[in-house]
Amino acid sequence: WNSLFDALLLSTIFSSEISATFFGLLAIQMFFRGFHWVAKSRVDFMEIQPNVSIISYIRLAFLTTLLFFVDFLYVSYVI
């Protein structure tokens, strides 16, 4: 909830630039933020498990790589 609050606080600072595009990009950001939380939870879960299969590591590496590229595309579009 912290990131949502920060985003809404920033929207009050940049209130002159609020548009449908702004809210669309904010929704996309919050959607992918959820996947970042899932990845963090998966890493935390894998740290406490005694036997983790190699497939779990491959899935986590794929998710992390996918999130990196999505973040890169998002930042390059916004800037």
Side-chain angles (χ1 to χ4, degrees):
W1 295 111
N2 224 3
S3 61
L4 179 63
F5 179 74
D6 290 343
L8 293 176
L9 184 64
L10 280 174
S11 69
T12 61
I13 294 171
F14 298 107
S15 61
S16 63
E17 298 182 18
I18 290 182
S19 64
T21 306
F22 173 79
F23 284 114
L25 290 173
L26 182 64
I28 290 170
Q29 181 186 13
M30 290 298 127
F31 179 74
F32 283 112
R33 177 71 56 165
F35 285 109
H36 283 87
W37 289 331
V38 168
K40 182 185 179 306
S41 296
R42 188 176 283 183
V43 168
D44 292 341
F45 177 75
M46 288 172 66
E47 285 179 348
I48 60 172
Q49 290 292 50
N51 296 326
V52 179
S53 68
I54 192 71
I55 298 296
S56 296
Y57 285 111
I58 292 171
R59 277 192 248 156
L60 183 63
F62 177 74
L63 178 62
T64 306
T65 306
L66 181 67
L67 286 174
F68 172 76
F69 284 122
V70 167
D71 290 342
F72 179 76
L73 289 173
Y74 184 82
V75 169
S76 65
Y77 177 77
V78 172
I79 294 176

